[in-house]
Amino acid sequence: MRIRTTPKTAVALVAGLALVAGACGSDDDSSDSADDAEEAVDEAEETLDSVADEAEEAVDTAVDDTEEATENSAAEETDEAAGDGETIRVGIVAPSASNDLAFTQSMVDSVERVEAERDLEVAITDGTFVVEDAAAAIRGYAEDGFDLVIAHGSQYGGPLEEIAPDFPEVSFAWGTSVDTFGLDNVYAYTTNADLGGYVNGVMAAQLTESDVIGVVGPVEVGDAKLYVDGFSNGVAATNPDVTVNVNYIESFSDVALASEAATSLVANGADILTGTAQMVVGATGVATESGLPWFGTQSNQTPLGEDIVVASQVYHWEIVLNQMLDSLEGGTLGGETYTLTFENGGLEMEYNDAFELDEAVRASADEAVAGLTDGSLTTGVTE
Amino acid sequence: MWSDFFTVSVFVATLASGIRLATPFLLAALGEAVGQRSGVLNLGVEGVMLIGAFAAYFTKLKTESTVLAVLVALGVGAVMGLIYAFVTVIMQAAQGISGIGIYLFGLGFTDLLFQKQVGTPQPIPKLAKVEIPLLSDIPWIGEIFFQHNLLVYLAFLLVPVAWFMINKTTFGLNIRAVGETPEAADTLGVSVNLTRTFTIVIGNTMAGLAGAALALEVGIFQQNLTAGQGFIAIALVYFGAWRPVGVMSGALLFGIVSATVLTLKTLGIVEGAASSLLAMAPAILTIVVLVVVSRRIAAPAALTRPFDRAAS
């Protein structure tokens, strides 16, 4: 059973309408702008309080919906009651849309795969690109007794470190990170994104004709940095003469800036592009427009450009989710770190069949994957 | 590295990029400037831009018609203008808080529509470049100024149009009058409410067009696509001292500085922490100029003040 909510949407809609309606009710006839400003500040403060309350209410509503749906489902599907264990309630808080073809979708797709094998109740709160909204949702799930609350974003570490000690009976997980804050009820999960980055780099180095490759990154942290560094090292290991120009735009969400960064990379000679994080949809547009090959990561990005996407490194978070759930069922609430790798099946290269990739290039990629899996090859990336 | 930066090709590409980046800011800020000259502040520009962006994106996705996409964006912008005019002019609501309401509505509404009507991001063809005959062939100049999409040309053509409207027409005189002393304008027979309604509709229509320019330029829509551009546009109105040419200067400065930062990063001239700091350069520069301008030029005297004929 899975319930997806976007409190941000509901709150924004309600708050927007309420603000406009509330403003219409104003009986202020003062012409003094200073008074107006003071009143505006007061109203803004009230509004912020109201928005915060509504955010909590939205999470509560989501939880109630989940419980209700689960009860109904249980009544309807008694014959299919799962296993002999108790249902585990999982709340997920993620920064972007569930179908972003990137970071959030990689988790949502993984949860769907886990749900097929285990008895879970899952509630997802997506679109919480504002960290304060995410913190409210995390706390909301914990207060409502969810067994595992996943904060899917490295930017959520700060609030999670504050919230987790208040709920010692609730298990929390967050990523990408390796830091559990020394807390017994916090799991950390990460991905060796440099592995797939390296493989993509091996292929890109063989496809480039201009010997210049462009990379659009968000902020130089976490799996984004790992991917970019792995990609650069894969290129260098294959053809040291190729230049990799990297442009971190300092934003996970600015699509327009990602688009312009890609344009800048192309203008400076890049004939292959890659990138990571949610805002790359802007960069893939430039690749499509210019007819340049694109290498993806996080999710299979072929839908963003069926003619230009060569391959994508796909995150299978179900590997770490199952490890966490096994540990949770064993009575351990946290304190451990899990990592996606080629070896444990958490990372996988998916190729776009519509892109005619040279067999020799594909073979070199397969060889790199094999080497990175058995440990005979390393990416050279150190965190 | 620096030697790569100081080349003609990089210089030309950076300026052309700056003009593209400036376009949504310019369209939104021009419209907002017209509204503010009449005494109406609209903090909801960001929300209307989002609605315009989604409208243009969705129309293009479903009909493949760019013209229709732009027209729909203009239409929804105008409708949002009528709503905002009703709230702030007819109902005389506080402009600041009403604008925030419009922003939040736009943010939530477009996300809701996108999730329900589109789902997974689906690319649309980007707006095609139109090379102006003869002019686009001029070395350097042609690539910088005359190889853009039509909305870029339209944005810059609207600068003299806005200047002419504000400074050389009776309607423009009315706009300035109701923005400075609405009571006096009313005494002279100028309909303050009607004038403000027109400027609000103009401003919101421009914001809708700005959103369309953004969505059609990047060829996709995503939650919070505008990423704060509407708020920067409002700052650029103050930056430009409520004058179309000043607004254009501010938009160009912001766009070109942003493009320069991107180029410096692309060429690997700045990396790591320096890169992060440099990314803030456009905003810092805007704030600095804003402080300087605000000390020299006063805002329209009646800005944010509702007009109540009975009380005047």
Side-chain angles (χ1 to χ4, degrees), chain A:
Chain A
M1 174 55 60
R2 187 158 64 88
I3 300 292
R4 174 185 168 274
T5 60
T6 307
K8 184 79 184 175
T9 303
V11 170
L13 272 171
V14 172
L17 293 171
L19 278 171
V20 173
C24 288
S26 169
D27 59 359
D28 177 27
D29 60 359
S30 167
S31 61
D32 186 338
S33 59
D35 290 344
D36 285 348
E38 192 176 338
E39 184 187 340
V41 170
D42 291 342
E43 289 184 36
E45 287 174 350
E46 289 174 12
T47 304
L48 286 174
D49 291 341
S50 169
V51 168
D53 291 342
E54 287 175 37
E56 285 192 27
E57 285 174 18
V59 171
D60 289 341
T61 303
V63 170
D64 292 342
D65 288 347
T66 308
E67 289 170 346
E68 185 181 344
T70 303
E71 286 167 8
N72 293 338
S73 175
E76 292 168 4
E77 301 173 14
T78 49
D79 293 341
E80 300 173 10
D84 50 0
E86 291 183 7
T87 299
I88 298 178
R89 304 175 69 209
V90 180
I92 298 173
V93 181
S96 49
S98 291
N99 44 17
D100 64 354
L101 288 175
F103 189 63
T104 298
Q105 183 167 341
S106 69
M107 176 57 82
V108 174
D109 289 348
S110 297
V111 166
E112 285 181 356
R113 289 189 280 267
V114 174
E115 279 185 289
E117 300 172 357
R118 307 182 80 122
D119 185 12
L120 299 181
E121 294 174 27
V122 179
I124 300 172
T125 299
D126 63 359
T128 52
F129 56 87
V130 176
V131 174
E132 288 74 15
D133 293 338
I138 293 167
R139 185 174 287 279
Y141 283 132
E143 287 175 342
D144 285 299
F146 273 66
D147 300 301
L148 175 63
V149 181
I150 300 174
H152 190 53
S154 52
Q155 64 269 46
Y156 300 152
L160 186 65
E161 188 176 9
E162 292 181 7
I163 294 168
D166 296 339
F167 302 93
E169 301 302 317
V170 176
S171 177
F172 296 87
W174 79 296
T176 55
S177 176
V178 295
D179 188 0
T180 63
F181 311 118
L183 297 171
D184 293 334
N185 64 333
V186 174
Y187 291 111
Y189 59 87
T190 187
T191 169
N192 286 351
D194 53 310
L195 299 176
Y198 188 94
V199 177
N200 277 346
V202 167
M203 290 187 279
Q206 297 172 77
L207 294 181
T208 180
E209 294 177 359
S210 67
D211 281 356
V212 179
I213 297 172
V215 183
V216 179
V219 180
E220 199 173 356
V221 296
D223 67 320
K225 176 171 167 49
L226 285 173
Y227 174 77
V228 173
D229 291 349
F231 183 88
S232 300
N233 288 359
V235 170
T238 308
N239 185 353
D241 295 331
V242 175
T243 300
V244 179
N245 288 328
V246 181
N247 199 327
Y248 283 106
I249 65 167
E250 308 300 331
S251 169
F252 285 94
S253 59
D254 197 330
V255 176
L257 207 56
S259 172
E260 208 54 45
T263 302
S264 172
L265 289 161
V266 173
N268 284 284
D271 66 349
I272 306 271
L273 292 173
T274 187
T276 178
Q278 301 89 315
M279 79 302 164
V280 293
V281 292
T284 55
V286 174
T288 301
E289 183 184 41
S290 308
L292 302 180
W294 172 269
F295 287 90
T297 185
Q298 298 183 328
S299 263
N300 188 332
Q301 294 179 335
T302 299
L304 289 173
E306 295 185 353
D307 297 329
I308 51 108
V309 173
V310 182
S312 301
Q313 169 180 238
V314 178
Y315 294 174
H316 288 281
W317 293 114
E318 64 268 27
I319 299 298
V320 299
L321 285 171
N322 277 319
Q323 288 172 327
M324 274 189 277
L325 292 168
D326 288 344
S327 182
L328 192 60
E329 286 177 337
T332 304
L333 297 183
E336 297 175 26
T337 298
Y338 301 104
T339 304
L340 297 184
T341 65
F342 280 139
E343 187 181 5
N344 65 20
L347 296 177
E348 182 184 14
M349 297 302 300
E350 292 188 8
Y351 294 85
N352 175 14
D353 294 334
F355 188 92
E356 294 182 8
L357 183 62
D358 185 89
E359 287 184 8
V361 176
R362 173 63 188 268
S364 67
D366 291 340
E367 188 180 339
V369 170
L372 292 166
T373 303
D374 64 24
S376 62
L377 179 67
T378 60
T379 64
V381 175
T382 53
E383 290 186 57

